Amino acid sequence: MKKLLYITLLATLFTVLFSSCEDWVTSTTPQIDRIEDDLLNDPDQIPFLITGVEARFALVYSQLVVASDLLGDQLMFDEAMANATFPTFREINDNFAGYPNEVIFASNTVRGVYTPMHNHRLLADNLLERIEGLEGLSDEVRNEAIFTGNLYGAVARYFISFYFAEDPCGNDTPGPQCISQFTGGPLDGSAIISPATMMDQILPKLSAAEAVASDYEKRVINTMRARLHLILGNYGEAYAAAQNGLEQGDAPFQALFSVQAPNEFYFAGGDGRRQVMPAFRFADYVAEDANEAARIPLKEAPAGDVSIAEVRYQQDIYPLRESPMDFLTWQENELMLAELEALRGQGSSDGLARVNAVRASHGIAAIAGPVTNSVILTERDKELFLQGVRFFDLLRFDVWPETISGTPGLGNTGNPIGPWRALPIPNDERNQNENVG
């Protein structure tokens, strides 16, 4: 995650190497053959390929967060903004309410996440294949490649299986059932792989990465394990992992960007173009306690870009093309521990000290407690602002909103929300994979 100077060259290289990436569904093997380039089998090129995996993760992550936080309730497609014109953003914001399948499965925004996401998985897996038996590779570089290929291979599988679905969940299905019954994605033309089943691939990869990891990286991996187990309701496993996860003071594990390979938020909901805006409640949080601005950075959108008299706020947590994005943090780990202790029967603590430690890290006053469902939901809403995990919380706590968000008086605001509780698998997959309907 450190070598930003390579990103421009990598973008060009991997565009060429995967120029036929839209065909990856029908035959994975030829695509792997296509990137078996002798020039890249030189030991000196492995660091370059490692950086390529990291850079592709950053691209996918920022695109996925925009889409999933529109699907959830942290972002809204605000038609009061003059440049809010992408119909696919509106469709996702509506949870595809009333849209026919030919529109849902043809979403360019969803496709724009889905194809690079699978490409990222191929790059991570190919890195591991490429170093197998490669002579002249130092132990240090080999271990870095093993760590990178396995960690990001696990992350890519998490994205594929936890964020996507073949079918809508429906408006009457309990949220936890949506996760277990409806979410899932395919690999290499397979049938849908549910999150619980995908863990059979994810957990061994995390263990393989851990075997060559630094102490800090081991804590990152355990926080990742804890997140996955928490989403699936495996509370004992989540607690065991989180106890060995990121600690207070640890640096966040981030996705890094550059001007040439920018953060998606800059052009979707930032100064580059203001289309998706934070839900109104985030401005309310800051109005209620100004110190919340430390973890919910907002700024007033220029009046000339707003078509109505009311003030609009835009996210300011990712203000630049090159703004990094937190993926895993010690604060998330503490909030997981707090939830597990206070609500899920793990340990003997009431979780309050952990919640207040997270608040104190931003200069926010302590709460008196107790730690309830509402406290955890609100603290996670604020702490994990625009990190792409909110829709899991809406499902886990079964509190999916009933109506569509957006600009009052415009669009579909206030109408019943659509039935999708994950991003729909697009036509590229459906048309070429006989196992996906």
Side-chain angles (χ1 to χ4, degrees):
M1 301 289 291
K2 305 170 185 174
K3 312 173 201 60
L4 289 177
L5 292 178
Y6 286 120
I7 289 179
T8 305
L9 290 174
L10 286 163
T12 302
L13 171 65
F14 289 110
T15 297
V16 172
L17 292 177
F18 288 91
S19 59
S20 297
C21 209
E22 64 274 12
D23 294 329
W24 59 264
V25 177
T26 53
S27 180
T28 300
T29 302
Q31 291 300 309
I32 293 174
D33 289 342
R34 194 165 297 174
I35 63 171
E36 289 289 347
D37 186 331
D38 289 343
L39 293 175
L40 296 177
N41 282 333
D42 189 299
D44 291 341
Q45 297 302 318
I46 298 303
F48 183 71
L49 296 177
I50 289 170
T51 304
V53 174
E54 296 167 344
R56 186 53 59 100
F57 158 71
L59 166 71
V60 171
Y61 180 47
S62 68
Q63 292 175 329
L64 185 61
V65 171
V66 170
S68 65
D69 280 344
L70 266 174
L71 189 78
D73 67 350
Q74 285 209 335
L75 288 172
M76 61 182 182
F77 182 71
D78 197 338
E79 290 162 310
M81 308 308 298
N83 291 320
T85 61
F86 281 16
T88 53
F89 284 165
R90 164 52 73 195
E91 294 158 10
I92 296 172
N93 187 90
D94 294 355
N95 288 190
F96 299 99
Y99 293 99
N101 284 347
E102 55 264 31
V103 171
I104 296 170
F105 302 146
S107 170
N108 284 330
T109 296
V110 176
R111 181 187 294 112
V113 179
Y114 194 81
T115 300
M117 176 183 66
H118 279 274
N119 178 248
H120 174 231
R121 197 268 302 176
L122 285 173
L123 290 176
D125 289 357
N126 178 257
L127 175 62
L128 296 175
E129 294 171 7
R130 199 177 286 274
I131 64 170
E132 227 177 283
L134 184 61
E135 296 181 358
L137 195 62
S138 71
D139 290 343
E140 180 182 3
V141 174
R142 184 178 298 277
N143 286 342
E144 186 180 1
I146 291 170
F147 174 81
T148 301
N150 280 294
L151 176 65
Y152 290 106
V155 169
R157 286 165 171 81
Y158 156 60
F159 289 165
I160 290 165
S161 192
F162 283 65
Y163 282 86
F164 285 83
E166 183 178 15
D167 299 304
C169 178
N171 292 322
D172 300 321
T173 306
Q177 186 179 342
C178 289
I179 296 173
S180 63
Q181 185 175 341
F182 287 91
T183 53
L187 292 177
D188 300 334
S190 75
I192 296 297
I193 304 173
S194 70
T197 301
M198 190 68 85
M199 291 287 275
D200 293 339
Q201 296 189 40
I202 292 172
L203 292 177
K205 283 191 167 292
L206 292 179
S207 294
E210 189 175 28
V212 295
S214 67
D215 288 344
Y216 165 75
E217 290 166 342
K218 289 176 182 177
R219 295 195 293 275
V220 167
I221 290 167
N222 274 301
T223 294
M224 180 70 185
R225 285 192 185 106
R227 178 193 284 184
L228 301 179
H229 282 304
L230 183 66
I231 292 169
L232 295 176
N234 303 329
Y235 299 134
E237 292 91 337
Y239 193 59
Q243 286 180 303
N244 294 294
L246 288 165
E247 301 170 349
Q248 293 188 34
D250 275 340
F253 189 80
Q254 296 180 314
L256 301 182
F257 303 88
S258 71
V259 171
Q260 294 81 11
N263 186 324
E264 178 76 2
F265 270 92
Y266 184 78
F267 293 106
D271 285 349
R273 185 167 184 173
R274 299 171 188 87
Q275 294 211 79
V276 299
M277 313 297 285
F280 295 130
R281 69 179 181 278
F282 290 106
D284 294 338
Y285 288 150
V286 177
E288 292 165 5
D289 183 349
N291 292 324
E292 289 288 3
R295 58 179 174 176
I296 310 172
L298 303 172
K299 69 178 182 181
E300 190 172 319
D305 201 26
V306 185
S307 63
I308 60 177
E310 296 175 358
V311 172
R312 284 291 178 267
Y313 293 92
Q314 67 185 77
Q315 64 81 22
D316 201 33
I317 193 170
Y318 312 125
L320 305 173
R321 290 175 174 87
E322 62 270 33
S323 294
M325 293 180 66
D326 291 349
F327 181 61
L328 296 166
T329 65
W330 73 259
Q331 288 94 339
E332 179 186 1
N333 199 84
E334 284 295 293
L335 289 179
M336 288 193 290
L337 287 167
E339 176 184 339
L340 290 161
E341 291 169 347
L343 307 179
R344 312 300 182 190
Q346 304 298 312
S348 57
S349 169
D350 63 2
L352 182 60
R354 297 187 187 279
V355 170
N356 284 331
V358 171
R359 291 171 65 88
S361 72
H362 302 289
I364 303 167
I367 60 172
V371 177
T372 61
N373 283 11
S374 177
V375 166
I376 290 296
L377 270 168
T378 301
E379 290 300 312
R380 285 177 61 87
D381 193 28
K382 296 173 180 178
E383 186 62 43
L384 302 175
F385 178 54
L386 301 186
Q387 292 181 37
V389 297
R390 171 66 174 178
F391 92 102
F392 293 126
D393 289 349
L394 297 176
L395 292 173
R396 293 193 305 115
F397 286 85
D398 199 19
V399 290
W400 202 273
E402 295 180 355
T403 58
I404 294 168
S405 65
T407 306
L410 296 177
N412 297 328
T413 301
N415 290 344
I417 204 159
W420 283 87
R421 301 293 178 266
L423 296 170
I425 293 173
N427 274 336
D428 288 351
E429 181 81 59
R430 293 170 185 273
N431 292 339
Q432 302 180 71
N433 183 350
E434 63 183 9
N435 295 303
V436 178

